[in-house]
Amino acid sequence: MAEEPLVGILVGSASDLPVLQQAGAILERFEIPHEIHVMSTHRNPDAVDEYARTAEERGLVAIICGAGRAAHLAGSVAARTVLPVIGVPVGADQLGGADALYSTVQMPRGVPVATVGIDAAVNAALLAAQILAVREPEVRKRLHEFKESLAEGYRP
């Protein structure tokens, strides 16, 4: 498989990084090259726009976006790329992450974001792996092994 990143992980704030690093750990387990960047759509919209618009030509296959509170990161990225975008609402002290969940899942028609549960970065990475497995037999094989380990009681 390619050494260039296939999955991009964007984090809206450094304080959310520990949640999204869980996605990175799963991608490493599946030997999927990835990159992770802290990038706020509110503080630096031009950088987010550039990242999203160039993701496909840089070889990315999917993008995971994690953000808390207003959580507009995934939608901003999805508006600028045809790649699958997976949103991870990050829990916060205020509202327990419900605000981030609603902001991520309630996208307008034509701008889809696949959204996992609050702080569910592991599931976001697994979904990205499943997307990649459509064209990568080795990833598909590792996913089969992973599913078998779940049946045996393994919990990621």
Side-chain angles (χ1 to χ4, degrees), residues 6-8 55 60-65 74 77-78 81-87 112-114 127-128 131-132:
L6 295 175
V7 177
L60 294 182
V61 176
I63 303 171
I64 298 170
C65 296
V77 171
T81 186
V82 298
L83 297 178
V85 175
I86 305 164
V113 171
L127 183 54
I131 291 167
L132 187 58

Side-chain angles (χ1 to χ4, degrees), residues 32-149:
I32 297 172
H34 62 282
E35 61 188 21
I36 188 163
H37 301 282
V38 177
M39 213 176 280
S40 169
T41 197
H42 296 110
R43 293 182 203 97
N44 198 345
D46 292 338
V48 171
D49 182 67
E50 174 75 10
Y51 184 89
R53 284 187 300 101
T54 63
E56 185 177 7
E57 67 190 46
R58 290 182 293 110
L60 294 182
V61 176
I63 303 171
I64 298 170
C65 296
R69 298 188 183 159
H72 296 293
L73 183 59
S76 295
V77 171
R80 295 293 195 195
T81 186
V82 298
L83 297 178
V85 175
I86 305 164
V88 180
V90 177
D93 294 337
Q94 303 85 3
L95 303 175
D99 50 346
L101 175 63
Y102 287 131
S103 294
T104 306
V105 77
Q106 292 291 69
M107 296 304 301
R109 186 177 300 191
V111 187
V113 171
T115 307
V116 297
I118 296 168
D119 293 337
V122 167
N123 280 349
L126 290 169
L127 183 54
Q130 289 174 324
I131 291 167
L132 187 58
V134 170
R135 73 171 203 197
E136 296 286 349
E138 281 300 313
V139 174
R140 189 175 319 120
K141 178 183 173 207
R142 289 184 202 109
L143 280 164
H144 280 289
E145 292 166 356
F146 175 78
K147 294 288 186 170
E148 289 172 16
S149 74

